Amino acid sequence: MKYRLLGRTGVWVSEISLGTMTFGGADHPVYGPLGGLGRAEVDRIVGTALDAGINFIDTADVYADGESEQLLGQALGARRDEVVLATKVHAPTGPGPNDAGWSRLHVMRALEASLRRLGTDHIDLYQLHNFDPLTPFEEVLAALGDAVRQGKVRYIGCANLAAWQISRALGVSARHGLPAFAAVQAYYSLVGRDAEHELVPMAQAEGIGLTVWSPLAGGFLSGKLHRDGAAEPGTRRATADYPDFPPVDREHGHDVLDVLRVVAARHGVSVARVALAWLLAQPAVTSVIVGARRVEQLVDNAAASGLVLTEQDLADLNRVSAPPALYPGWIQQMFAGARQPAS
C-alpha cells in the first residue's frame, strides 16, 4: 500500500481507503441493498483492510442509522490507533427539526453520539456531509473549533460542497483564526469528471486533500453491467428499483467501459482495478474510498495501489471519458498562452 499526505496536515493516509456504507442496516430500505453486513462480515473486512496497509477509514453518522459507526468501532477495537478515522455530520439522524444541519446544537450532539458509537475519545477527521444554507460558516466553524480545542476532533473537512463554498469557508477560518478544512470528499470517477471543473483546481491551489467517494460510480465501473442489458449475478444497478446513483449517462458509460476492458486486458487485471488506478493517477487525489461487500472485492480494489498505468492507458481513458469544457474554462483556455513571450 502507498501513502499520501492529507492536505497540509502532515498526516499520511493510504491512497486506498475503506468506506463503510455497506456496514449494517440489513433491514434498512436504503442500506440493506448496499450491503447490510453484520458483525462477523464487518470484522473480516476491517481486519483485511488493516492487514493490507489501509490506515484511512471513512464512515458517517447517517449510515444505517448509526449502525455503521457502531460496527466499525467494534471491529477496530484495540487497533483503533492504527487508523485515521473519519466520520461526517449533517444528514438527519432523527425526526426533530434540529436533528440535522450545521447548527452548534446539532453538531455537538451528533459528535458526542458518534464518539459513543465508535467507542473512541476522538475523531481524526470530522466532515460536514453536505451544505447547510441555513447556518453561517462562522457558526459551524466556531463549533468545530471548540471540538478541536477540546481534543474531540483532530482535523475538519467537508463533503459535497461547491468550490466557492469551500473557498468562502477558508476565508472565514483565516479571518477568525478558526480551524480550516484539511480535506474535501467528492464524487469523482471515469464517468463523472465534474470535479475537474472547479473542485480539483481549488484543492490544488489551496493545498486541500481530495478524497473520492463512489469511484466506481455505484458499481457501474465494475464492468458487470453490459451494453445489451445483461448483468452478472449480484449487480445492484441491474435491479429495476436500484436508483441511478450516482447518475450515469449509460451510452457514454459503456463507451468508457469498452476502453477499460481493453486496458484491463493489457495488464491482466479487473476493470474495477483499472478505474481506481486511473483516479490515483489524477492530480490532487489523495485517497480513493472503496466500499466492499466481500473480502475478495476489497483485496482486488486495494491492489489498485500497485497498478501503474502507462501513458497510452491514460491517454486512451482520458480521451473516451473527457467531459465537455464549461464556461469560463473554455475561454480561459483560449487565452492561456496570451502571456507567453514569443519564441
Side-chain angles (χ1 to χ4, degrees):
M1 181 59 61
K2 299 175 185 176
Y3 300 86
R4 302 183 180 188
L5 286 170
L6 182 66
R8 293 175 175 162
T9 64
V11 174
W12 293 96
V13 295
S14 51
E15 61 182 19
I16 298 292
S17 42
L18 179 64
T20 65
M21 196 179 285
T22 59
F23 294 4
D27 299 322
H28 195 283
V30 174
Y31 296 98
L34 290 174
L37 302 183
R39 175 70 187 276
E41 297 162 309
V42 169
D43 285 350
R44 283 194 294 273
I45 285 178
V46 171
T48 299
L50 296 179
D51 292 344
I54 291 175
N55 78 335
F56 192 18
I57 302 183
D58 179 82
T59 187
D61 58 1
V62 72
Y63 294 168
D65 294 335
E67 189 180 359
S68 173
E69 286 185 328
Q70 183 178 8
L71 288 169
L72 174 59
Q74 292 169 347
L76 286 173
R79 303 184 72 176
R80 160 66 180 93
D81 289 340
E82 294 182 30
V83 304
V84 176
L85 181 59
T87 192
K88 311 182 197 75
V89 58
H90 171 273
T93 54
N98 293 312
D99 291 333
W102 290 1
S103 70
R104 174 182 290 269
L105 179 67
H106 177 64
V107 167
M108 291 303 192
R109 284 176 177 172
L111 173 58
E112 295 296 339
S114 287
L115 291 171
R116 285 194 300 271
R117 286 190 293 265
L118 288 163
T120 185
D121 63 357
H122 71 279
I123 304 299
D124 296 309
L125 179 63
Y126 199 44
Q127 304 158 107
L128 301 177
H129 205 163
N130 212 319
F131 184 58
D132 178 5
L134 303 181
T135 308
F137 278 109
E138 288 83 354
E139 171 79 5
V140 69
L141 290 171
L144 292 172
D146 288 346
V148 171
R149 282 188 292 273
Q150 293 165 3
K152 296 178 180 180
V153 171
R154 299 293 188 254
Y155 304 99
I156 66 169
C158 61
N160 306 310
L161 265 60
W164 72 264
Q165 293 164 342
I166 298 170
S167 295
R168 182 174 180 180
L170 294 176
V172 170
S173 294
R175 186 163 63 249
H176 297 285
L178 296 168
F181 293 146
V184 54
Q185 187 177 129
Y187 167 56
Y188 191 12
S189 78
L190 269 167
V191 290
R193 295 176 59 178
D194 295 350
E196 294 176 5
H197 295 303
E198 298 287 347
L199 281 170
V200 167
M202 180 278 303
Q204 290 178 291
E206 300 293 348
I208 296 177
L210 174 62
T211 63
V212 176
W213 64 265
S214 203
L216 299 179
F220 184 87
L221 292 174
S222 67
K224 297 178 180 178
L225 188 65
H226 299 274
R227 196 185 294 267
D228 62 4
E232 297 178 25
T235 304
R236 288 173 293 168
R237 278 190 175 268
T239 58
D241 59 345
Y242 188 79
D244 185 26
F245 183 82
V248 173
D249 179 331
R250 294 294 180 98
E251 191 63 28
H252 171 68
H254 284 296
D255 290 342
V256 172
L257 277 171
D258 288 344
V259 177
L260 270 172
R261 292 186 177 100
V262 171
V263 175
R266 289 176 189 161
H267 293 270
V269 300
S270 70
V271 166
R273 196 184 304 184
V274 173
L276 298 174
W278 177 86
L279 276 169
L280 293 174
Q282 303 312 301
V285 171
T286 302
S287 188
V288 175
I289 304 168
V290 301
R293 289 184 289 177
R294 297 176 291 104
V295 166
E296 297 79 13
Q297 179 187 1
L298 174 61
V299 170
D300 182 74
N301 288 177
S305 178
L307 176 59
V308 178
L309 300 179
T310 67
E311 290 185 10
Q312 184 64 55
D313 296 333
L314 293 172
D316 292 345
L317 291 168
N318 287 336
R319 184 168 51 253
V320 72
S321 66
L326 298 181
Y327 176 84
W330 58 262
I331 197 166
Q332 290 184 4
Q333 187 60 39
M334 287 174 60
F335 288 89
R339 294 280 295 163
Q340 299 298 321
S343 57

